[in-house]
């Protein structure tokens, strides 16, 4: 069985500041981990995924995430926030036959 | 490619009515997923198909919900009778191959359902 927890349902950062969205997971088997982004009135789209290769995963739009097994974490970061990053972000874990999504974190960008 | 296509985009209906949501996956994709998104429960997997065969429907809330995939290019999710608590955004997603742990899912734009 697996589960995923996203810390903070809302995160606000200033434009140009570091973005950090937190995700912790649990899985009884080696997990595969994903970050998806959802813009208003749209479906989810993949930002990046970890599939047991490099622990630092680079995605689209300047985002990256680091898999830390010891901390069971897969936090999403971006060095400098842009207004266009305002969206909802979902962390997901796939271990057994299911994929489980977190509740999401809405990212607000302050001008 | 046009991506995953869902129709209708918005549906307003009255309690007790039948609702049918439609999905056309990306051509060549072999897996199809139906999700429901609400503020309270987040994104929930309802059912998924591999090669048009339902594999796991354990997320379907109750017998009022049913899903079919008569061919590789079309799927429906039906709610009969509908209830106000079914109000949500329903997403369809597809992925290229038989569902595996590392597969990326491609989501449609969703159908926003409101049951009065």
């Amino acid at each position: 069985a697996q589960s995923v927890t996203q810390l903070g349902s809302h995160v606000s950062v200033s434009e140009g500041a570091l973005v950090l969205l937190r995700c912790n997971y649990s899985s009884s088997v080696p997990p595969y981990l994903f970050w998806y982004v959802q813009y208003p009135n749209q479906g989810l789209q993949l930002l990046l995924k970890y599939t047991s290769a490099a622990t630092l995963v680079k995605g689209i739009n300047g985002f990256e995430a680091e898999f830390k097994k010891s901390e069971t974490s897969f936090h999403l970061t971006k060095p400098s926030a842009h207004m266009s990053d305002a969206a909802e972000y979902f962390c997901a874990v796939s271990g057994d036959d299911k994929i489980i999504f977190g509740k999401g974190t809405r990212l607000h960008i302050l001008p | 490619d046009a991506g995953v296509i869902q129709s209708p985009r918005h549906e307003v209906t009255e309690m007790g009515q039948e609702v049918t949501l439609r999905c056309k996956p990306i051509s060549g994709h072999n897996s199809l997923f139906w999700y429901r998104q609400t503020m309270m429960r987040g994104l929930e997997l309802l059912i998924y198909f591999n090669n048009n065969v339902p594999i796991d429907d354990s997320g379907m809330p109750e017998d009022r919900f049913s899903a079919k995939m008569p061919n590789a290019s079309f799927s429906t999710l039906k709610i009969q009778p509908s209830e106000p608590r079914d109000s949500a955004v329903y997403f369809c997603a597809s992925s290229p191959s038989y569902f595996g742990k590392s597969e990326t899912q491609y989501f449609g734009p969703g159908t926003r359902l409101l049951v009065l």
Side-chain angles (χ1 to χ4, degrees), chain B residues 34-108:
Chain B
W34 282 102
Y35 289 90
R36 178 172 68 176
Q37 185 180 38
T38 62
M39 291 290 291
M40 290 296 294
R41 301 172 69 92
L43 193 66
E44 303 172 278
L45 176 64
L46 300 178
I47 184 172
Y48 78 91
F49 297 82
N50 281 330
N51 293 329
N52 314 337
V53 177
I55 301 300
D56 184 351
D57 66 354
S58 60
M60 295 286 263
E62 47 196 276
D63 291 346
R64 298 185 297 106
F65 286 69
S66 63
K68 294 183 179 179
M69 192 167 184
N71 57 63
S73 59
F74 183 66
S75 178
T76 60
L77 178 68
K78 185 175 294 185
I79 308 173
Q80 166 63 16
S82 58
E83 296 182 4
R85 60 193 168 118
D86 301 329
S87 298
V89 181
Y90 291 82
F91 288 103
C92 176
S94 67
S95 67
S97 65
Y98 190 93
F99 176 64
K101 298 178 183 181
S102 65
E103 286 297 319
T104 298
Q105 296 185 28
Y106 297 81
F107 283 76

Side-chain angles (χ1 to χ4, degrees), chain A residues 88-102:
Chain A
E88 189 155 20
Y89 292 79
F90 293 87
C91 182
V93 60
S94 175
D96 301 328
D97 280 345
K98 293 185 184 292
I99 181 167
I100 304 296
F101 285 85

